[in-house]
Amino acid sequence: MSTLDLHADPAEITAALVDIASVSGAEAEIADAVETALRAQAPHLEVVRNGAAVLARTRLGRPSRVVLAGHLDTVPVNENLPLHRTGSGAGEVLHGLGTVDMKGGDAVFLHLAAAVTEPRHDLTFVFYDCEEVEAARNGLGRIERELPDWLRGDLAVVGEPSNAVIEAGCQGTLRAELRRAGTRAHTARAWMGENAIHGLAEPLRRLAEYRPRVVDIDGLTYREGLQAVRVAGGVAGNVVPDEAVLTVNHRFAPDRSPEQAERHVREVLDGFELSVVDVSGGALPGLHAPVVAELVAAAGGHAAAKLGWTDVARFAALGMPAVNLGPGDPTLAHTRQEHVAAAEIRTVADVLRAFVEVRR
Amino acid sequence: MSTLDLHADPAEITAALVDIASVSGAEAEIADAVETALRAQAPHLEVVRNGAAVLARTRLGRPSRVVLAGHLDTVPVNENLPLHRTGSGAGEVLHGLGTVDMKGGDAVFLHLAAAVTEPRHDLTFVFYDCEEVEAARNGLGRIERELPDWLRGDLAVVGEPSNAVIEAGCQGTLRAELRRAGTRAHTARAWMGENAIHGLAEPLRRLAEYRPRVVDIDGLTYREGLQAVRVAGGVAGNVVPDEAVLTVNHRFAPDRSPEQAERHVREVLDGFELSVVDVSGGALPGLHAPVVAELVAAAGGHAAAKLGWTDVARFAALGMPAVNLGPGDPTLAHTRQEHVAAAEIRTVADVLRAFVEVRR
C-alpha cells in the first residue's frame, strides 16, 4: 500500500495523492492510505472510516468547530497519470489528474491534520468519495445520513480549487426543459404540418436577448446566467418535426430561493411549456459570521463570490456558513491539462494554518 | 415458390404480391415469382433478370415506347402481414404492407404485361429492388449502369401511389446544414462563452416567417417549402455550447435547377455558415409531349403536380417525360395501416389499358 508522509511539504503530499488513482467508485486504495496515515501520524485525532470516506476530528472543547472537507475521487483518467513536474523550486508545477480537482486541497487538509495538534477551533476533517458523479452517490450525502454529527460546526471550508482565494456562498442552479409540439407531415406537403423546431425561434430570441442580474451580497458580486445547454428535435430528413426540446440552465444568486428562481425562468419563457428537471439552491456568503470573518482576515481580507455550485451548498443547507478555498485554477478542472503551482498549495496551507493555529 | 396468375383481377395480383414479403434487400423470392410468371404467361415479351430486378419488353417496332416502372421492395414489416381484407365486391379493401407502396402499381403493370400483347406503344416493364433504402442501392441506378437501353423511351410511368391520379413532374429536394459556432464556457461563467444554440434564434425566425413560392407550370400548381428537419446542440447540462447544427429541407418546384435552389436557400439564410448535404433536381411535368397528352386524355384529362420526390426524376434526368400513376393514398405509405381500395387498383389498370391498347 502507498504510504503518505503527512509531515512533508503539502505539494509533496499532493504529488503522492495524485499517484494513487482514485476515479469515482474506486477510492478504496486512497482512502486506505489516508486512514492509515492519519491513525499513525495524527494520533491526537479521533478517526472513523465510512465506506470509502475517512473522517477525523479533534475533541478539545473549543467554543467553535471548523469542518474541512475534500473529496478524494477524480473524473476518469485522460492520459494524465502518473504525475509529472515542470519547473523547480518556487516555480515548480505539478501536472496530472487531480492536481487541481482536488488533491491539492486534500493535501493541505492532511498537512493541517498532522501539523496542528492544538488548534484554536476544534477541527473536523472529511475526506469523501464520489463527488464527481451523480448527486445520489455523493459520499457527503451518505455521511450526512449515517454520521450527521460529524458534519456539524460553525464553518465549513470546502477545498475545491479557487485559485487560493476564499469564495463565499455559491449560486443556485436550475435546469428546465422547454418543449414545443407541432404536427408531423411530409416536407413535400409542409403546409399540412406545424414545425416544432421553428417554434423555438421565439424562446431562443428571448434567451439571446436576456440580460442577467448582477447581484451584490455582503460586498460580493454574483453574476447570474440563463443559457440554453441542449437542443434536440427532428424525425427524418423529409419530415416536418412534431417535437423539439430546449434545455436551459439558470444560475441564480443566493438571494433567491429555488422557488423564486423557477418563477423567474417561467416569467422569461412565459407562454411556453416548461418543466423543471432539477434545481439546487445556492448558499449565502455569510461573511458576517465571526469565524468566517477570521478566516477572511487570515487570507488578507479578500473574498470573492462563488459562481459555480459546489458541496458548499450542502453545508449551507445544514445552516452553517461555508466557503470554498483551495489551490488550483477551477477552469482547468476536468481537463487533460490539469496542473497546479506547488507554491499555490503552500499558500493555501499557510492561510489555513494562520487561521487555525493559536496566536503566540 | 409462389405462383402468380397474371390473368387474374389486378386486385388479386396485388394480394398475391403482398403475401410475398419483400423488404428491401430480400426481394429474391418476389423477383423469382415475377420472372417465372412473365416467362410463362407473357411469352410475347423479352425478359431479363438483373439481380433482384426483372425487366420485360415488347419489340414491335412501334414509333414510341413507354416504360412502366415499379419497385418490388417494401419498408420493414410492422405487424402488417399477411394481407387481410375488409368489405366485399366494389367496396373491398386490401390491408397490409405494400398494398399502397407499391404492389398495387406492380400488379397493374403485370396485368398489362400479360393482357396486352399488341400495344399501340412498345412497352418496357421494370420491376426493381431497393427503392426504399439509400439511393446508392436503388435497383434503378444499377439498371441504368448495367442495362441503360432498357430504360430508354418516350414516356416513363412510375407506379408509386398517387390516388390513381396522374402526377406530373416532381419537385426537387435539397438538404443543407446550418452550423453556428460559439465559445464553450461553464454556465456559471456564461459571459466568458458564446452560446451557439442562442445563435439559432435568427435563422429559425427566418424559417418561421418564410413564405414559400406557389408556382404554376403547364397548369399544375407546385407548392414549395423550406423546413427545419433536425436541430442538435449541447455539450453538458452546465456548459455553454460551442456548436449547434440546424438541418433544413427545401422542396423546390421544377422550374428551378438545383443550383438555383441552393442560391435561394443561401439568400434566405444569408449571413450563416451553410453546407449543402444532398440535392436532387426536380422534373418538369412535360405535359405537352404527345405521348403524355395521350395518357392524360386516357385518364379523363386530369393531372396534378407531384410534390414529393420519386424515381420519376431519374427518368426525367434521362431526358424523358415521366409521370407518376398508381393506386393508393401516398400518405398511408410507410404506415402500419397501409390499405388500398380494390376498385382503385382496377381504375388504374383501366386507364393504362385505354392508353396502351390499340383503339378498335
Side-chain angles (χ1 to χ4, degrees):
Chain A
M1 198 183 75
S2 313
T3 303
L4 296 172
D5 176 5
L6 304 189
H7 295 286
D9 172 358
E12 293 308 314
I13 303 176
T14 302
L17 290 172
V18 168
D19 277 339
I20 307 173
S22 58
V23 175
S24 308
E27 301 98 333
E29 183 184 349
I30 198 168
D32 288 348
V34 166
E35 181 185 359
T36 304
L38 285 171
R39 290 192 190 279
Q41 300 168 51
H44 63 290
L45 298 178
E46 175 191 4
V47 176
V48 302
R49 175 73 175 253
N50 176 277
V54 183
L55 302 97
R57 66 182 168 192
T58 60
R59 304 197 73 162
L60 300 168
R62 300 289 194 250
S64 57
R65 174 173 291 278
V66 176
V67 179
L68 301 131
H71 63 83
L72 295 172
D73 62 318
T74 67
V75 294
V77 183
N78 186 9
E79 300 177 37
N80 49 7
L81 277 187
L83 176 111
H84 74 278
R85 302 168 190 246
T86 56
S88 61
E92 186 177 42
V93 175
L94 307 182
H95 301 256
L97 176 62
T99 49
V100 165
D101 190 9
M102 56 164 281
K103 293 182 176 178
D106 294 328
V108 168
F109 295 162
L110 286 168
H111 160 79
L112 288 181
V116 186
T117 53
E118 297 210 344
R120 289 198 304 124
H121 307 285
D122 266 309
L123 301 180
T124 303
F125 298 93
V126 181
F127 301 99
Y128 63 103
D129 52 303
C130 284
E131 192 270 347
E132 297 291 7
V133 288
E134 61 271 27
R137 292 172 61 192
N138 189 304
L140 215 48
R142 187 186 64 245
I143 294 164
E144 196 180 329
R145 290 187 300 273
E146 299 178 7
L147 300 167
D149 66 297
W150 277 82
L151 300 185
R152 299 287 163 183
D154 302 283
L155 167 64
V157 178
V158 175
E160 293 272 4
S162 68
N163 290 312
V165 170
I166 293 173
E167 292 183 330
C170 83
Q171 294 207 123
T173 177
L174 176 151
R175 252 176 296 271
E177 286 181 355
L178 185 152
R179 197 169 298 269
R180 299 283 352 228
T183 307
R184 210 180 275 204
H186 196 290
T187 50
R189 296 174 197 84
W191 65 91
M192 298 177 68
E194 187 193 344
N195 195 310
I197 294 177
H198 294 187
L200 293 178
E202 172 60 16
L204 284 174
R205 186 191 66 77
R206 294 191 200 169
L207 292 178
E209 295 181 358
Y210 180 78
R211 293 289 164 267
R213 289 196 310 157
V214 177
V215 183
D216 187 288
I217 305 174
D218 291 0
L220 305 185
T221 302
Y222 293 88
R223 295 181 66 168
E224 298 191 329
L226 179 58
Q227 295 283 322
V229 291
R230 184 166 177 272
V231 65
V235 175
N238 59 355
V239 175
V240 176
D242 57 352
E243 186 176 86
V245 179
L246 181 68
T247 309
V248 300
N249 182 208
H250 178 42
R251 299 286 174 147
F252 54 96
D255 65 331
R256 279 193 176 158
S257 67
E259 294 71 27
Q260 289 170 321
E262 176 176 344
R263 204 175 309 137
H264 174 65
V265 174
R266 289 192 183 281
E267 277 167 14
V268 173
L269 297 171
D270 186 39
F272 300 105
E273 185 193 334
L274 203 74
S275 56
V276 172
V277 176
D278 63 60
V279 59
S280 300
L284 285 164
L287 292 184
H288 300 305
V291 66
V292 183
E294 270 182 48
L295 174 60
V296 173
H302 180 62
K306 179 72 183 174
L307 301 177
W309 194 94
T310 73
D311 278 334
V312 159
R314 291 180 179 266
F315 288 101
L318 296 175
M320 296 159 62
V323 303
N324 190 197
L325 173 61
D329 177 351
T331 66
L332 293 174
H334 304 195
T335 72
R336 192 162 136 186
Q337 292 75 31
E338 256 188 80
H339 60 270
V340 65
E344 200 167 304
I345 301 171
R346 294 179 200 117
T347 298
V348 175
D350 290 346
V351 167
L352 285 173
R353 281 189 73 149
F355 169 54
V356 301
E357 279 188 328
V358 177
R359 284 159 198 150
R360 306 197 183 260
Chain B
M1 197 182 75
S2 312
T3 303
L4 297 173
D5 176 3
L6 304 190
H7 294 287
D9 171 357
E12 293 308 314
I13 304 176
T14 303
L17 290 172
V18 168
D19 277 339
I20 306 172
S22 57
V23 175
S24 309
E27 302 97 334
E29 184 184 348
I30 198 168
D32 288 349
V34 166
E35 181 184 0
T36 303
L38 285 171
R39 291 194 189 278
Q41 300 168 50
H44 63 291
L45 298 178
E46 176 191 3
V47 177
V48 304
R49 176 74 176 250
N50 177 276
V54 183
L55 301 95
R57 64 182 169 193
T58 60
R59 305 196 73 162
L60 300 169
R62 301 287 195 253
S64 56
R65 177 173 290 278
V66 175
V67 180
L68 302 131
H71 63 83
L72 295 172
D73 61 319
T74 67
V75 295
V77 184
N78 187 8
E79 300 177 36
N80 49 6
L81 276 187
L83 175 112
H84 74 276
R85 301 168 189 245
T86 56
S88 61
E92 188 177 39
V93 175
L94 307 182
H95 302 256
L97 177 63
T99 49
V100 166
D101 190 9
M102 57 165 280
K103 294 183 175 178
D106 294 328
V108 168
F109 295 163
L110 286 168
H111 161 78
L112 289 181
V116 186
T117 54
E118 296 209 346
R120 289 198 303 125
H121 307 285
D122 268 309
L123 302 180
T124 302
F125 298 93
V126 180
F127 300 99
Y128 63 104
D129 53 303
C130 284
E131 191 271 348
E132 298 290 7
V133 288
E134 61 271 28
R137 291 173 61 193
N138 189 303
L140 214 48
R142 187 185 65 245
I143 293 164
E144 196 179 329
R145 290 188 299 275
E146 299 179 7
L147 301 167
D149 68 296
W150 277 83
L151 299 185
R152 298 287 162 187
D154 302 283
L155 167 64
V157 179
V158 175
E160 294 271 3
S162 69
N163 290 312
V165 170
I166 294 173
E167 292 182 330
C170 82
Q171 296 208 122
T173 176
L174 178 152
R175 252 176 295 273
E177 286 182 354
L178 184 154
R179 198 170 296 271
R180 300 287 346 231
T183 307
R184 210 179 274 204
H186 196 291
T187 50
R189 295 175 198 83
W191 65 91
M192 296 177 70
E194 187 192 344
N195 195 311
I197 294 176
H198 294 187
L200 294 177
E202 172 60 15
L204 284 175
R205 186 192 66 77
R206 294 192 200 167
L207 292 178
E209 295 181 359
Y210 180 77
R211 292 288 162 269
R213 288 196 312 157
V214 177
V215 183
D216 187 287
I217 305 174
D218 292 357
L220 305 185
T221 304
Y222 293 88
R223 296 181 66 166
E224 299 191 327
L226 180 58
Q227 295 283 323
V229 292
R230 186 167 176 272
V231 65
V235 175
N238 59 354
V239 175
V240 176
D242 56 353
E243 185 176 86
V245 179
L246 181 67
T247 309
V248 300
N249 182 208
H250 179 40
R251 299 286 174 147
F252 54 97
D255 65 332
R256 279 193 175 159
S257 68
E259 294 70 28
Q260 289 169 321
E262 176 175 345
R263 205 174 309 135
H264 174 66
V265 173
R266 289 192 182 280
E267 277 167 16
V268 173
L269 297 172
D270 186 41
F272 300 104
E273 184 192 336
L274 202 72
S275 56
V276 172
V277 176
D278 62 60
V279 59
S280 299
L284 285 163
L287 291 185
H288 301 305
V291 66
V292 183
E294 271 182 47
L295 174 59
V296 173
H302 180 64
K306 180 72 185 175
L307 301 177
W309 193 94
T310 74
D311 277 335
V312 159
R314 290 180 180 267
F315 289 100
L318 297 176
M320 298 159 62
V323 302
N324 190 195
L325 173 61
D329 177 351
T331 66
L332 292 174
H334 303 194
T335 71
R336 194 162 135 188
Q337 291 76 31
E338 257 190 81
H339 60 268
V340 66
E344 199 165 307
I345 300 171
R346 294 180 199 118
T347 298
V348 175
D350 290 345
V351 167
L352 286 174
R353 281 189 73 150
F355 168 55
V356 301
E357 277 188 328
V358 176
R359 282 161 200 149
R360 310 205 179 255

